[in-house]
Amino acid sequence: MILSSYALGANTAYIYIRGEYSWIVFILEKAIAEAYAQGWLGKNIKGSGVDLDLYVNPGAGAYICGEETALIESLEGKRGNPRIKPPFPAVKGLWQCPTVVNNVETLAAVVPIVNDGGDEYAKIGVGKSTGTKLISAGGNINRPGVYEIELGLPMEEFIYSDEWCGGIKNGRRLKACVPGGSSVPILPHYLVTKTAAGENRLMSYESLADGGFVSGSMLGSGGFIVYDETQCIVRNTWNFTRFYRHESCGQCSPCREGTGWMEKVLWRLENGQGKISDIDLLVDVAKKIEGNTICPLGDAAAWPVASAVRHFREEFEWHVQNPQACLERNYGLVREPAEIQPH
Amino acid sequence: MPKVKIDGFEVEVPEGTTILNAARQIGGDIVPPAMCYYSTLKGSGGKCRTCLVKVTKGSERDPRPMPKLVASCQTPVMDGMEVANISSAEVLNARRGVVEFLLLNHPLDCPICDQAGECHLQDLSFEHGLANTRYEFERRTFEKIDIGPYIKLHMTRCILCYRCVYTAQQLTPERVHGVIGRGDHAEISTFIEKAIDNDFSGNVIDVCPVGALTDRTFRFKSRVWFLNPMDAHRDCEKCSGKAVVWMYGGEIFRVTARKDQYGEVRDFICNTCRFEQKSPGNWTIEGPRQIDRHSVIGQNHYDGDTLTVA
């Protein structure tokens, strides 16, 4: 952060921490106090003539405060509502001053870049996706955990290799995978290791996005979730939507009302009270939220729903047609379509 | 000065004007509806998403279209910008969606609502909404509460436009209400143990686009279209004293500020004028209020383009 602030010519920097991670605040405050004591922070750092003050600021616990302008509002002590852009934070941010908002993962990459040089760092990874990425792998895998991978690692290797996830738990088969956090489109088993074009899918920004939203997804935040054949996609989608309903700030109407609506419809489908028309209704509502909101939370709420219906429509229909069975067991693997639509 | 083309109509406006205000200078059907934007309140707008428009050409210098629909009340015009509002099916479709979202949790109790007849949500849903709803769940409801001696809050009807929050922030000495909670369970409420009680609090009733904030001195007294709105003024030491008195026979039923054709107030009035001066002797009546001929308040007594109620 000190290096980044030096590069930007910034004299004040803030570390914003979500309220749930309150114990980290104390660790950071200690570290900052040490840095001040050693002269790495404060006035005239190590005789360079550069000043920098660093503050730690906990939020009150809101997913929406990960959106940069909501984070800024929250830092200013206001309700964490995303601002309307433009102006972007780089023009008018915190206290109306130009502000750069970066993820801690981005700033962590500054150190190897400075130490080894940019060219050396760019050799890691593949294509435009250079460097490493922290992947927080969870779900039905043998070795869940946080892994730092070189971008460009084949997806198959990441899921099945003992070095990483170690394969699907209990010898079950892969059903689906969410490669980048709950907000990105879900991929069915036949699109996880291979793209629609038949190429190997790699853990990189480009390869995951291959096929657009029709047959691809996004690397997103690196929240990697694997589902085996016993998992219910409808229930999972409902769970995601419930989260977005809870975390929507309530400022703009499509997201505020739409997330609640989708959650209720999905709950009904999951509990065997759904109708066939509900499936198209979900797609329509998702489409009306997407792109029409102030911040990307609306998109994030709409994408998993739209993609789940796109790839797992059969399973949704099965829920409607078998209202009793869907309460007792899960659908299982989805059939691979005869021909995957190329993008 | 930048020139902008909206649905084919060209207009020249000062630098920094928003698309919505440029459209208002042209006037007519191409003006996007606005539920949360209020020109006299700083910071308002961008929330309801009814004013979404498509920018088909960014500017003369950078002719690329904007990737998403933009909120016209917040987007400044650029020279050579081309905007599609009612000429774009995408915009109309998105707007239909937004109206549906706004009505999801709205109780639709218009028959007993004091705002009926001058409600922006009624106009909006009449113009852009569907006749039926696809929502089959229970709507969120709240208890009605008195937030001060003159104002009733009916949160169930609220569409969370934040206008009353900005009004309290910018017009009154201290804001004691705000938005509490988030998502579809967010609500407008006063802070703990506080009541809205100051000389300009009544203006939140005028800015409310729906019937969420109503005048307790007028609740259930009469339907607005039975009353005759008259321009009137009085000498007031606190405000401009320019108001509209709503009369029936020789009696004043309620007093409101003067709203323009977009339902916006220029001269806010004080609580004394609004709530306490209901005797006709206190007012100098200027004459009948000009009302839009489409308004139900006119009940077909229009004369030319505007209506003169007598």
Side-chain angles (χ1 to χ4, degrees):
Chain A
M1 272 197 91
I2 301 168
L3 287 169
S4 318
S5 304
Y6 172 71
L8 290 162
N11 299 114
T12 314
Y14 295 88
I15 301 175
Y16 182 87
I17 292 181
R18 196 180 164 175
E20 274 85 345
Y21 310 131
S22 53
W23 73 94
I24 301 175
V25 176
F26 301 108
I27 303 171
L28 276 169
E29 272 175 352
K30 221 169 125 193
I32 288 172
E34 281 170 16
Y36 269 107
Q38 300 279 322
W40 285 107
L41 284 172
K43 291 252 175 285
N44 195 8
I45 294 172
K46 295 283 181 188
S48 63
V50 179
D51 305 337
L52 179 67
D53 283 312
L54 184 60
Y55 304 96
V56 184
N57 219 317
Y63 178 74
I64 189 66
C65 291
E67 202 275 344
E68 52 182 5
T69 51
L71 190 154
I72 288 169
E73 287 276 300
S74 176
L75 260 185
E76 288 183 3
K78 297 178 193 154
R79 193 184 147 83
N81 278 358
R83 289 182 187 167
I84 292 141
K85 284 150 282 189
F88 287 93
V91 181
K92 260 187 191 177
L94 187 67
W95 315 115
Q96 303 292 307
C97 301
T99 308
V100 172
V101 185
N102 272 127
N103 196 300
V104 61
E105 199 178 3
T106 311
L107 293 172
V110 170
V111 179
I113 291 172
V114 169
N115 284 347
D116 306 337
D119 293 336
E120 200 59 35
Y121 187 77
K123 282 182 191 159
I124 312 171
V126 58
K128 279 189 198 159
S129 304
T130 56
T132 63
K133 173 114 185 127
L134 288 174
I135 305 286
S136 160
N140 305 110
I141 46 175
N142 281 321
R143 284 159 43 85
V146 180
Y147 299 103
E148 185 174 9
I149 60 154
E150 276 185 30
L151 289 170
L153 185 75
M155 196 86 150
E156 198 169 356
E157 192 186 331
F158 184 67
I159 297 176
Y160 292 106
S161 157
D162 282 340
E163 194 183 343
W164 315 107
C165 301
I168 313 292
K169 221 171 178 171
N170 301 328
R172 292 209 178 97
R173 288 175 298 169
L174 174 74
K175 179 176 188 177
C177 173
V178 174
S182 62
S183 63
V184 306
I186 191 169
L187 293 174
H189 64 91
Y190 53 88
L191 286 172
V192 173
T193 52
K194 294 262 189 282
T195 63
E199 291 161 15
N200 271 342
R201 200 178 292 277
L202 310 177
M203 296 287 283
S204 73
Y205 296 103
E206 294 81 27
S207 180
L208 273 172
D210 188 88
F213 279 2
V214 179
S215 63
S217 183
M218 278 159 70
L219 188 53
S221 65
F224 194 85
I225 313 169
V226 176
Y227 302 92
D228 72 18
E229 55 197 306
T230 61
Q231 299 300 322
C232 175
I233 293 298
V234 179
R235 185 172 182 83
N236 173 63
T237 314
W238 165 73
N239 191 26
F240 283 170
T241 310
R242 186 179 60 155
F243 171 77
Y244 286 110
R245 180 197 183 181
H246 181 69
E247 293 291 349
S248 166
C249 78
Q251 205 183 181
C252 61
S253 29
C255 174
R256 179 182 67 229
E257 309 290 351
T259 49
W261 192 5
M262 289 199 301
E263 193 255 348
K264 287 176 189 159
V265 172
L266 280 161
W267 187 88
R268 185 161 81 176
L269 281 168
E270 165 63 14
N271 286 285
Q273 297 157 18
K275 297 187 281 190
I276 278 290
S277 61
D278 283 352
I279 302 168
D280 286 325
L281 177 70
L282 279 176
V283 177
D284 190 54
V285 173
K287 206 187 290 170
K288 280 179 170 151
I289 300 174
E290 187 189 334
N292 293 341
T293 53
I294 295 175
C295 78
L297 193 131
D299 302 345
W303 289 339
V305 175
S307 65
V309 176
R310 188 163 50 235
H311 297 305
F312 299 94
R313 186 177 272 268
E314 262 178 47
E315 186 167 340
F316 281 83
E317 284 168 2
W318 178 80
H319 271 259
V320 177
Q321 285 150 0
N322 303 285
Q324 195 53 44
C326 77
L327 295 175
E328 290 155 8
R329 63 191 176 88
N330 285 321
Y331 179 73
L333 283 189
V334 68
R335 263 206 316 270
E336 188 169 348
E339 195 182 323
I340 303 165
Q341 292 291 317
H343 53 282
Chain B
M1 291 219 298
K3 273 194 189 128
V4 53
K5 219 179 217 178
I6 302 169
D7 283 341
F9 294 91
E10 196 168 54
V11 67
E12 208 175 327
V13 289
E15 195 84 33
T17 312
T18 58
I19 298 174
L20 181 78
N21 280 329
R24 282 183 178 181
Q25 287 192 17
I26 301 169
D29 288 345
I30 62 148
V31 183
M35 297 298 288
C36 65
Y37 174 74
Y38 210 79
S39 53
T40 39
L41 297 175
K42 223 175 122 239
S44 66
K47 295 177 174 49
C48 69
R49 315 309 279 178
T50 56
C51 69
L52 290 173
V53 291
K54 176 119 191 110
V55 176
T56 49
K57 182 182 167 194
S59 69
E60 204 56 68
R61 238 188 303 151
D62 180 8
R64 287 175 302 168
M66 291 193 187
K68 287 185 189 176
L69 301 182
V70 297
S72 61
C73 62
Q74 292 292 322
T75 313
V77 298
M78 307 286 274
D79 191 35
M81 186 186 261
E82 281 175 25
V83 179
N85 178 20
I86 53 171
S87 57
S88 159
E90 191 189 346
V91 170
L92 294 180
N93 197 29
R95 197 166 288 156
R96 209 168 297 130
V98 173
V99 175
E100 191 174 20
F101 288 136
L102 285 175
L103 291 174
L104 276 194
N105 278 314
H106 193 77
L108 295 173
D109 58 349
C110 308
I112 56 149
C113 177
D114 281 302
Q115 189 86 0
E118 51 177 19
C119 174
H120 292 210
L121 192 58
Q122 271 185 330
D123 297 347
L124 186 77
S125 52
F126 183 73
E127 228 171 297
H128 300 281
L130 302 165
N132 51 356
T133 177
R134 297 183 288 170
Y135 189 69
E136 292 164 335
F137 302 94
E138 211 171 284
R139 288 156 201 260
R140 74 176 179 168
T141 48
F142 296 91
E143 290 288 305
K144 295 183 265 285
I145 48 170
D146 295 331
I147 52 167
Y150 294 119
I151 307 160
K152 187 81 142 188
L153 170 65
H154 203 321
M155 184 56 214
T156 313
R157 293 172 183 156
C158 179
I159 58 162
L160 288 162
C161 69
Y162 285 61
R163 276 182 185 177
C164 60
V165 179
Y166 290 114
T167 308
Q169 184 84 41
Q170 290 166 30
L171 288 183
T172 63
E174 196 193 11
R175 175 163 72 91
V176 293
H177 83 289
V179 178
I180 290 164
R182 64 186 181 200
D184 59 357
H185 34 276
E187 59 172 307
I188 297 277
S189 185
T190 47
F191 301 153
I192 298 164
E193 299 282 311
K194 296 262 186 188
I196 298 179
D197 188 16
N198 60 61
D199 279 342
F200 288 87
S201 63
N203 289 300
V204 296
I205 300 166
D206 276 347
V207 300
C208 186
V210 294
L213 293 162
T214 46
D215 181 344
R216 280 179 69 192
T217 64
F218 177 63
R219 271 173 77 82
F220 309 128
K221 291 271 163 50
S222 172
R223 308 299 328 210
V224 290
W225 57 84
F226 292 142
L227 304 176
N228 292 332
M230 308 291 259
D231 278 338
H233 66 266
R234 64 181 279 271
D235 286 329
C236 177
E237 53 197 17
K238 292 186 210 153
C239 67
S240 66
K242 287 184 196 153
V244 179
V245 294
W246 297 73
M247 303 184 66
Y248 190 82
E251 214 181 323
I252 294 179
F253 272 68
R254 69 162 181 172
V255 181
T256 63
R258 293 182 187 178
K259 293 183 183 180
D260 66 9
Q261 56 172 318
Y262 301 110
E264 291 176 5
V265 174
R266 302 270 153 220
D267 301 311
F268 290 100
I269 60 169
C270 66
N271 281 5
T272 318
C273 291
R274 184 186 302 272
F275 299 117
E276 285 156 22
Q277 305 294 331
K278 295 216 172 164
S279 141
N282 297 340
W283 293 91
T284 316
I285 309 281
E286 292 165 20
R289 177 86 187 146
Q290 302 268 300
I291 297 262
D292 184 0
R293 57 174 280 188
H294 301 291
S295 170
V296 65
I297 298 167
Q299 291 187 84
N300 299 328
H301 298 299
Y302 55 84
D303 165 27
D305 260 354
T306 49
L307 158 98
T308 310
V309 182

